[in-house]
Amino acid sequence: MIEAGRVAVITGGGRGIGRSIAVRLAHEGADIAISYRGNDEAAEESANLVREAGVRCETFKGDVASQDDVDALFKGVDGAFGRVDILVNNAGITRDNLMMRMKEEEFDDVLRTNLKGTYLCTRAVLRKMVRARWGRIVNISSVVGLVGNAGQANYAASKAGLIGLTKSVAREVAQRGITVNAVAPGYVETELTGSLSDKVKDQILGQVPMGRFGEPGEISEVVAFLAGEGAGYVTGQTITVDGGMVMQ
């Protein structure tokens, strides 16, 4: 459970898994700040779903890969809520291509958003969490960061980097009452997987022992646990939510 009145920042909270996490934490009683990059309408839809849970919600537009935008985000959150207790680094992009064809900007764009964005947002909240001697940081990685995937060297590198970042920061702040964990989803029913052909879907499902795609809500349940009071002795971990695709 999350203590009533906690404030959670969800990056990439405008749709998909981020939206599901925002709504789930709202139902736990947390006030929510949604960070998003481009889609105003989707972000407002997420905010309305959050507010239906009876908590406060504000949206903040910006790019987590930009230091100026991250500064503006947390200045806005501080003005609206006065605190940050929970950070979910969910913002991410893909620029898929085979390595031989991958352009430098395709590699840089993915690393900048997925990995550097997490670094910037995490650094922005840590000082206040240390002073409060309480905090929860959850980084959304991917099973691709654990096993790789053809055509996604940039994405896999960013998500594997998140796992290393998670472990390192967890060690730095463990004695301050702050936990830092990663969740690595498998293939989840989102707009991205919805656009795949039946042939590709069948190939993917052949790798999943449960034989189905995950639901965003199944990811947000794990995030809600890690963000709550009861997960205070869980830190530096990577939890796969993938139907058994990767068994460590």
Side-chain angles (χ1 to χ4, degrees):
M1 294 292 290
I2 295 174
E3 184 179 300
R6 297 286 191 198
V7 174
V9 176
I10 319 295
T11 70
R15 55 188 174 180
I17 291 173
R19 173 181 288 181
S20 178
I21 292 169
V23 172
R24 182 67 182 82
L25 298 190
H27 281 282
E28 288 281 315
D31 292 326
I32 304 294
I34 290 173
S35 164
Y36 71 103
R37 188 166 71 169
N39 193 325
D40 298 334
E41 184 178 350
E44 195 54 37
E45 287 176 4
S46 292
N48 288 333
L49 290 170
V50 167
R51 291 171 186 136
E52 287 176 7
V55 300
R56 295 176 59 201
C57 182
E58 300 291 340
T59 60
F60 300 89
K61 188 174 184 177
D63 185 352
V64 296
S66 161
Q67 179 70 73
D68 289 344
D69 286 3
V70 169
D71 288 344
L73 164 63
F74 288 100
K75 182 178 180 180
V77 171
D78 191 53
F81 299 102
R83 60 192 287 182
V84 176
D85 303 293
I86 299 161
L87 171 64
V88 181
N89 288 302
N90 170 73
I93 63 171
T94 57
R95 298 286 186 268
D96 296 351
N97 214 337
L98 293 174
M99 178 59 86
M100 290 187 295
R101 301 173 187 166
M102 187 176 290
K103 298 180 177 64
E104 188 174 350
E105 58 266 30
E106 291 174 331
F107 187 87
D108 287 347
D109 286 351
V110 170
L111 269 289
R112 193 159 43 238
T113 296
N114 298 6
L115 187 55
K116 184 181 179 183
T118 296
Y119 149 72
L120 290 174
C121 291
T122 300
R123 188 178 65 172
V125 302
L126 272 184
R127 200 172 297 277
K128 285 193 173 183
M129 287 184 176
V130 166
R131 283 201 293 266
R133 301 192 70 84
W134 199 96
R136 299 285 186 266
I137 298 172
V138 183
N139 299 321
I140 305 303
S141 182
S142 169
V143 293
V144 173
L146 295 168
V147 299
N149 195 32
Q152 289 193 307
N154 49 2
Y155 186 74
S158 72
K159 294 301 188 177
L162 279 180
I163 292 171
L165 183 149
T166 296
K167 293 176 180 180
S168 296
V169 179
R171 289 183 182 276
E172 292 180 12
V173 298
Q175 293 187 357
R176 303 290 185 169
I178 303 165
T179 67
V180 189
N181 292 288
V183 174
Y187 290 94
V188 178
E189 289 280 9
T190 62
E191 293 176 15
L192 180 63
T193 53
S195 65
L196 299 175
S197 69
D198 289 341
K199 181 179 179 181
V200 171
K201 287 182 179 179
D202 288 342
Q203 289 174 343
I204 292 169
L205 292 176
Q207 305 172 52
V208 181
M210 284 191 172
R212 66 173 178 86
F213 290 108
E215 298 289 339
E218 293 175 309
I219 310 304
S220 60
E221 285 293 328
V222 177
V223 174
F225 166 70
L226 293 173
E229 307 297 324
Y233 203 56
V234 180
T235 197
Q237 304 304 307
T238 300
I239 301 176
T240 55
V241 188
D242 62 357
M245 181 179 170
V246 177
M247 299 188 186
Q248 297 175 305

